[in-house]
Structures are given as structure tokens and as C-alpha cells.
């Protein structure tokens, strides 16, 4: 089948809606579904391995704001004023809320005062090395997955931690997150039920990637879904996990077998997940294009 380079996907990301042709090209690639499964499984592995990653992956809203903090750092500096401007742009609250968010970022070890303070009127902050490493690992696993579908994306990986490359990538990613937050697109059921709740995002990734190697993706056969095991692994309560699974069942996303400790993913659930990752991979390819920039991006 035809291979599309990074320039093609970057052009698609500039459309208000990705064309049907592009959506089909991404989603019908024979490596697309295996790549999504690998990206989800790797997210769960990173969660288990790194406390900083747990803070990023356990709450989608907080994780997005962590990415946006890096976006501000990459596009002019991370200050209270710029956080306030960003929160105003995405209609996320007042200056007081911006200050609370700044305090929260410091408390969880995401940011620290910068050694360089060029403007005495506005304190400058920088991402901590540990946060930078955690986010880099999270993005690397998605770029590696994407490269199974868009091979040109792999060129970013050896140079990803170079400051100029990383900043160009985050500048594009952050702008994309802002645009998604500002959009009026209807919320997917799985996002409402899982991603908007504590640990829901990582739980759903662990569940969907836990199928047998000879099963389809999303899985067509039942997958293990012990409420007690999920609650313990992802540091939340059994009642919280049970509520999410029941809500998902009520919304027609899955069927739960409490006695067997399994769930069966229904087609509606799988369809929403595949649609989400199709758009995400298009945006990720655009980020890779901008990270490489210039001659490298044109060649890709």
C-alpha cells in the first residue's frame, strides 16, 4: 500500500477536519492496530516503572496540563503570567486558578524556579529533569509506535532529546492540545467514562492491550479485569474501578463477567478507541515533521 510521509500528515493536521482519505490511509495500514496496542501496553509498563509517570498518566487533565507546561517552556518561557494567559485562552479559570496550578506543578515535582531570571518582574520556571525525562519516555513510545505506520517518524528518535528538536515537537503538540480543548467536538463515551476519571486512562490502556497475541485488537475475546487487581496496580479504590466498569457497561462499551473476572470489549468501544488513535497519530506525525523541520522534514 502507499506510504505517506510526514509532510502529508502535517498538511492534514492543518485542516479543521482530517480528510476521510487520510483517516482511511492511517487506519487501514496493516501495522496501525498492532502499533496502537504496543503504545497502550508500553504506557502501562511506564506507569509501573516511574512514580513521575504515574502522576502524568493517572489523570488525563493533569497530564494534559503537564504537557502544556512544557509547551509554554518551549515557546517563550513558563511564568505565572503565561499560564494565566493560556488558561484564559482555553477558558479554564481565573488568575487564582493559574496560581494554584503553578503551585501544584511545583508540589508534584514537575517544575522548579529557573536558574536564569532575566525579568525581575516575572519569575521564570523550568521543567525538572525528572519530569522532562518522564515526558520524553512517554512521547518516545508513541513515536516508536507511530513509526510502524509512518516510517519517517523514526528519524526523530535518535535526536529527540536535543533541546531544539524537543522544543519544536512540544510547540506543535501543545498547540494541538490547546486546539482540542477549545474545540466543540462531542466527547467520546470512553473519554467521559475513563479518561476524565482518576486512573481511568491508564486502566483502559492496560485492559485493551492485555489480549492474547492471537486475538484481534481491540480484543474480541474476554480479557482479565479483576477489580481488586486493577485497583491495587493503579493505586485507586475498588469502588472507583467498579463504578467505571459499570458505567462503561451501561453505556454499551463492554460486557462484564463478574464471576469470571473478565470484560468483553464491544464494537462501539473499539471503534471509539481506533478513531481517537487515528487522529492522534496524524497529529503526532505533524509534531515529528516540525521537530525535524527544514531539509530533514522535507525529505521525510
Amino acid at each position: 500500500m502507499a506510504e505517506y510521509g510526514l509532510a502529508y500528515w502535517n498538511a492534514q493536521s492543518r485542516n479543521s477536519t482530517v480528510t476521510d482519505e487520510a483517516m482511511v490511509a492511517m487506519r487501514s495500514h496493516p501495522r496501525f492496530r498492532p502499533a496502537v496496542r504496543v503504545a497502550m501496553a508500553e504506557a502501562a509498563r511506564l506507569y509501573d516503572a516511574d512514580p513521575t509517570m504515574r502522576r502524568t498518566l493517572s489523570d488525563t487533565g493533569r497530564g494534559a496540563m503537564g504537557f502544556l507546561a512544557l509547551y509554554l517552556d518551549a515557546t517563550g518561557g513558563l511564568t505565572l503570567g503565561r499560564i494565566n494567559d493560556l488558561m484564559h485562552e482555553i477558558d479554564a479559570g481565573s488568575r487564582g486558578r493559574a496560581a494554584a496550578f503553578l503551585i501544584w506543578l511545583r508540589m508534584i515535582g514537575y517544575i522548579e524556579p529557573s536558574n536564569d531570571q532575566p525579568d525581575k518582574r516575572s519569575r521564570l520556571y523550568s521543567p525538572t529533569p525528572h519530569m522532562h525525562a518522564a515526558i520524553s519516555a512517554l512521547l518516545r513510545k508513541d513515536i516508536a509506535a507511530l513509526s510502524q505506520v509512518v516510517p519517517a517518524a523514526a528519524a526523530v528518535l535518535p535526536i529527540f532529546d536535543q533541546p531544539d528538536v524537543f522544543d519544536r515537537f512540544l510547540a506543535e503538540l501543545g498547540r494541538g492540545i490547546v486546539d482540542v480543548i477549545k474545540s466543540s467536538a462531542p466527547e467520546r463515551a470512553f473519554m467521559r467514562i475513563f479518561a476524565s476519571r482518576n486512573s481511568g486512562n491508564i486502566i483502559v490502556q492496560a485492559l485493551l492491550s492485555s489480549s492474547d497475541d492471537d486475538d484481534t485488537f481491540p480484543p474480541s475475546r474476554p480479557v482479565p479485569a479483576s477489580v481488586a487487581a486493577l485497583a491495587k496496580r493503579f493505586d485507586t479504590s475498588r469502588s472507583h474501578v467498579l463504578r467505571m466498569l459499570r458505567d462503561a457497561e451501561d453505556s454499551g462499551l463492554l460486557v462484564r463477567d463478574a464471576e469470571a473476572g473478565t470484560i468483553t470489549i464491544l464494537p462501539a468501544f473499539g471503534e471509539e478507541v481506533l478513531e481517537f488513535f487515528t487522529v492522534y497519530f496524524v497529529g503526532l506525525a505533524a509534531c515529528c515533521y516540525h521537530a525535524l523541520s527544514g531539509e530533514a522534514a522535507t525529505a521525510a
Side-chain angles (χ1 to χ4, degrees):
M1 64 180 298
E3 293 285 356
Y4 295 87
L6 296 178
Y8 173 82
W9 298 113
N10 177 62
Q12 285 295 321
S13 75
R14 292 296 177 264
N15 297 327
S16 57
T17 303
V18 179
T19 64
D20 290 342
E21 177 188 4
M23 292 285 283
V24 170
M26 177 64 76
R27 182 165 164 174
S28 64
H29 193 286
R31 293 297 305 167
F32 173 72
R33 292 181 185 228
V36 174
R37 182 186 178 189
V38 168
M40 287 186 156
E42 187 66 5
R45 187 193 69 79
L46 289 172
Y47 178 96
D48 291 335
D50 187 350
T52 300
M53 195 68 71
R54 292 172 199 165
R55 302 186 189 105
T56 304
L57 291 170
S58 64
D59 183 283
T60 301
R62 289 182 177 182
M65 294 308 289
F67 281 109
L68 290 176
L70 285 169
Y71 161 66
L72 292 176
D73 179 68
T75 57
L78 180 58
T79 65
L80 176 59
R82 294 199 73 214
I83 292 173
N84 183 62
D85 291 343
L86 177 62
M87 297 190 86
H88 178 74
E89 181 180 357
I90 63 177
D91 195 24
S94 64
R95 186 174 181 84
R97 188 167 182 181
F101 175 62
L102 180 65
I103 293 171
W104 173 78
L105 287 172
R106 292 197 65 184
M107 286 180 61
I108 65 173
Y110 271 15
I111 65 172
E112 59 190 0
S114 177
N115 292 328
D116 183 22
Q117 297 292 335
D119 186 350
K120 302 301 182 182
R121 298 167 298 176
S122 180
R123 195 171 197 186
L124 185 66
Y125 294 85
S126 299
T128 61
H130 198 59
M131 179 211 180
H132 189 287
I135 296 298
S136 175
L138 190 61
L139 292 172
R140 278 177 173 277
K141 63 94 176 172
D142 287 343
I143 296 169
L146 171 68
S147 68
Q148 299 301 305
V149 184
V150 185
V156 176
L157 292 171
I159 58 173
F160 189 59
D161 288 320
Q162 293 180 11
D164 56 336
V165 175
F166 188 80
D167 285 353
R168 285 196 297 269
F169 189 99
L170 263 294
E172 183 68 11
L173 179 64
R175 177 44 52 188
I177 293 173
V178 169
D179 289 344
V180 168
I181 293 173
K182 291 167 62 178
S183 74
S184 57
E187 187 178 33
R188 293 175 174 86
F190 95 91
M191 293 290 287
R192 171 176 50 82
I193 293 169
F194 289 101
S196 62
R197 295 177 175 177
N198 185 49
S199 297
N201 183 44
I202 190 61
I203 285 174
V204 79
Q205 294 193 67
L207 288 173
L208 287 169
S209 62
S210 64
S211 59
D212 295 331
D213 290 341
D214 61 347
D215 196 0
T216 60
F217 181 88
S220 58
R221 299 201 293 261
V223 296
S226 163
V227 171
L230 289 169
K232 181 178 181 180
R233 180 181 180 185
F234 298 111
D235 196 26
T236 189
S237 69
R238 296 184 185 185
S239 61
H240 179 68
V241 174
L242 182 59
R243 192 177 304 114
M244 284 192 291
L245 294 179
R246 284 175 173 170
D247 287 350
E249 187 169 27
D250 291 343
S251 296
L253 299 183
L254 56 85
V255 174
R256 179 170 169 261
D257 186 334
E259 184 174 345
T262 63
I263 61 168
T264 299
I265 304 297
L266 296 180
F269 196 176
E271 180 64 23
E272 287 196 359
V273 170
L274 292 173
E275 285 184 0
F276 173 84
F277 269 92
T278 301
V279 175
Y280 175 54
F281 273 18
V282 171
L284 201 63
C287 293
C288 290
Y289 175 89
H290 285 270
L292 292 170
S293 72
E295 181 178 347
T298 302

